[in-house]
Amino acid sequence: MYMALNLILATEAVTPTAEESGGIDLLLPAPEELIAGLIAFSIIFLVVWKFALPTLKATLQQRQDAVKSELESAEKSKQEAATLLADYKAQVAGARKEAAQIVADAREQGEAVKADIIARAEAEADQIKARAHEEVLAERERVAGDLRRQVAELSIDVAEKVVTSSLDAEAQRVLVDRYIEELGGVR
Amino acid sequence: MELILATAACDPSVDIICAPANVNELFEFREAIFTIAGFPVTRTVILILSIALIVSAFLFFGLRKKSIVPTKFQAAVEAIILFVRDGVAKEIIGEHGAKYAPWLLSIFLFILVGNMFEVTPFINFPVTSRMALPVLLAVITWVVFVFAGIKRQGFGYFLGIIWPSTVPIFLRPLVGLIEFFSILILRPLTLAIRLFANLVAGHLMLVLLIVSGWVFISSVGDIGARAGIGVAWFVMGLGIFVFELVVIVLQAYIFTLLSAVYVQTSLYPEH
């Protein structure tokens, strides 16, 4: 090493001093450095032993606890959400069922009302028909009565005329024709 | 520049650079800046003590908030601690690993910051390249793994090393001798030298390339176009700089990892 340095420094003609203690000095520990090293190592050991490792252990424990509790609360929230979702689903299903029920009820009611209206209309129609029928019958009865009375009166008239006038063939034929004509007029 | 190579007596107005007389001078700052009760406080001592300050501040500001959602800095600090606690201590040692986490984490952070000084501007000196620190840490590791073995197996720990029962009986004295040297002597030695040598080599390479670059470029008046070589040295120096960042982290990791492995083999010799 010394040689190499000299080689490089040769241009400068630096003359090395004569004292050469040899490399062995390098291998012997200097007492003051040994003591300083022992002091420094003791300090480091104490700091590591009493501060660094326990502190790190506590920090890691704390971190682990935090992560654990976070996970637990997340799990809890998840469960709550699931319960809530199930509740909502049940509610929605209930509501849907109820709506369907309402629609079905309304439809049923509608049908009933419809049937009722139809039945009532039919009944009313029947009633009207029956009344009309009765009225017709009554009218017919009255007309028949009238007719009968007129026929009777006519008969009486005819009888009177027969009695009062001569009853020749011509006269009879005219009489009958008139009678028939009168009858036709009655109708 | 003068800070690194300040030791040689020379005249900066004449010489481009004050060349060190000896390679040790790139690493030794033994002049006391001041003394406390006879204890010399050198630049290296201040740097070593500042490791404790930096690591403590790093841990304190990184962890004090204890936020559930961490800031980027907090996350980084936590990642480093967990890397050593879970990735090294628990992973290598096993069920008793957490007990050794404070020691392993201290080693890792101490070496990491000590190494980082190599590439820290205005410091540019890895204090872990001073043999005192690798030796200190290796001795601590040695004590920890030997005591872990004794606590677990009693004195059977040593017996297991020098009289390994899994080996054919006629080989036991030989293997036992090898194991004894390997575990109780070579382990701490290699641990210390590996860290030391890596940081020494890295520091030397950086000093060499950047100082060479500086010498060539500032001699442009004397050597003309040839001063361009200095640019190449600088570029290479920057490449090594990035490479050293990897070495810095890797060496801190390797030291920590091997310490954990040694404790593991003391606790569970059958593995």
Side-chain angles (χ1 to χ4, degrees):
Chain A
M1 194 45 55
Y2 163 63
M3 288 287 288
L5 265 176
N6 268 339
L7 210 61
I8 293 162
L9 303 174
T11 50
E12 297 307 312
V14 173
T15 44
T17 47
E19 55 158 317
E20 297 219 9
S21 53
I24 191 72
D25 277 3
L26 218 51
L27 285 170
L28 300 174
E32 76 273 12
E33 290 165 12
L34 213 53
I35 292 166
L38 193 62
I39 294 169
F41 186 80
S42 308
I43 293 170
I44 291 172
F45 183 74
L46 275 177
V47 170
V48 167
W49 183 38
K50 289 293 177 195
F51 169 73
L53 287 171
T55 308
L56 181 63
K57 203 172 173 186
T59 308
L60 291 182
Q61 187 61 46
Q62 201 180 324
R63 200 168 295 163
Q64 196 183 348
D65 290 349
V67 170
K68 211 167 156 188
S69 77
E70 281 295 311
L71 282 177
E72 273 167 8
S73 81
E75 183 63 30
K76 214 169 134 192
S77 303
K78 204 170 125 189
Q79 272 174 3
E80 272 176 17
T83 320
L84 221 59
L85 184 67
D87 277 3
Y88 281 141
K89 271 187 180 159
Q91 273 178 19
V92 168
R96 197 166 288 160
K97 207 166 139 192
E98 209 172 322
Q101 186 61 47
I102 288 168
V103 169
D105 284 359
R107 189 171 291 152
E108 210 170 280
Q109 260 173 16
E111 293 285 338
V113 168
K114 192 170 137 192
D116 188 40
I117 288 170
I118 289 171
R120 224 181 298 160
E122 272 175 359
E124 211 168 317
D126 284 353
Q127 222 173 340
I128 289 167
K129 225 159 79 182
R131 208 181 301 146
H133 190 63
E134 268 169 30
E135 273 173 15
V136 166
L137 283 182
E139 190 67 12
R140 200 165 74 180
E141 201 67 21
R142 194 175 56 82
V143 168
D146 280 359
L147 203 62
R148 219 174 287 135
R149 205 168 50 243
Q150 276 182 358
V151 167
E153 279 171 9
L154 279 176
S155 301
I156 292 163
D157 280 355
V158 168
E160 272 175 2
K161 276 167 191 165
V162 168
V163 171
T164 55
S165 65
S166 54
L167 284 173
D168 55 23
E170 187 60 20
Q172 277 186 352
R173 200 183 49 86
V174 170
L175 198 70
V176 168
D177 282 349
R178 204 170 58 192
Y179 174 69
I180 289 165
E181 213 172 298
E182 279 176 5
L183 269 179
V186 168
R187 206 186 275 173
Chain B
M1 212 51 76
E2 280 119 71
L3 203 60
I4 297 172
L5 305 169
T7 48
C10 70
D11 182 1
S13 60
V14 178
D15 302 320
I16 293 171
I17 193 155
C18 296
N22 187 296
V23 66
N24 289 4
E25 288 168 15
L26 289 176
F27 293 94
E28 290 196 320
F29 301 94
R30 300 291 297 274
E31 300 85 20
I33 297 168
F34 57 90
T35 53
I36 298 170
F39 181 79
V41 179
T42 64
R43 180 173 184 260
T44 310
V45 166
I46 291 172
L47 286 177
I48 291 171
L49 292 176
S50 67
I51 298 175
L53 199 70
I54 292 167
V55 170
S56 305
F58 175 75
L59 293 174
F60 177 73
F61 290 112
L63 297 173
R64 69 182 163 148
K65 276 192 201 143
K66 300 187 188 176
S67 331
I68 304 272
V69 180
T71 60
K72 277 181 188 168
F73 180 61
Q74 188 186 343
V77 175
E78 285 176 5
I80 291 174
I81 298 174
L82 290 179
F83 167 69
V84 176
R85 192 192 77 179
D86 299 343
V88 178
K90 287 183 184 171
E91 179 76 25
I92 303 287
I93 301 175
E95 51 172 331
H96 301 297
K99 235 169 42 183
Y100 296 91
W103 159 64
L104 289 170
L105 185 58
S106 304
I107 284 185
F108 182 75
L109 293 173
F110 189 62
I111 295 176
L112 188 68
V113 175
N115 289 356
M116 279 292 180
F117 284 159
E118 181 184 3
V119 291
T120 308
F122 307 111
I123 296 176
N124 293 316
F125 176 62
V127 285
T128 32
S129 69
R130 296 296 295 152
M131 200 49 173
L133 296 193
V135 161
L136 175 73
L137 296 173
V139 166
I140 292 173
T141 293
W142 187 87
V143 169
V144 170
F145 80 71
V146 167
F147 271 82
I150 294 172
K151 203 179 161 198
R152 173 97 177 168
Q153 309 171 49
F155 279 88
Y157 170 65
F158 293 113
L159 194 68
I161 292 171
I162 57 171
W163 198 248
S165 54
T166 50
V167 177
I169 196 145
F170 60 91
L171 277 176
R172 280 183 198 175
L174 183 64
V175 174
L177 195 68
I178 293 170
E179 281 288 280
F180 178 80
F181 271 102
S182 147
I183 292 174
L184 296 177
I185 293 163
L186 290 181
R187 269 183 183 184
L189 214 59
T190 51
L191 212 50
I193 290 172
R194 182 183 301 107
L195 180 62
F196 160 80
N198 268 286
L199 274 295
V200 165
H203 184 53
L204 277 181
M205 275 202 288
L206 285 178
V207 168
L208 238 148
L209 290 167
I210 289 169
V211 168
S212 311
W214 176 249
V215 167
F216 271 92
I217 291 168
S218 49
S219 315
V220 69
D222 297 332
I223 59 175
R226 281 184 295 160
I229 295 171
V231 177
W233 291 136
F234 256 134
V235 171
M236 229 164 123
L238 289 179
I240 297 293
F241 204 87
V242 176
F243 175 71
E244 283 307 310
L245 276 175
V246 178
V247 171
I248 281 165
V249 178
L250 207 61
Q251 287 305 321
Y253 174 60
I254 289 172
F255 198 109
T256 313
L257 188 76
L258 286 176
S259 296
V261 168
Y262 295 161
V263 167
Q264 196 272 342
T265 53
S266 293
L267 293 177
Y268 312 100
E270 63 275 12
H271 291 176

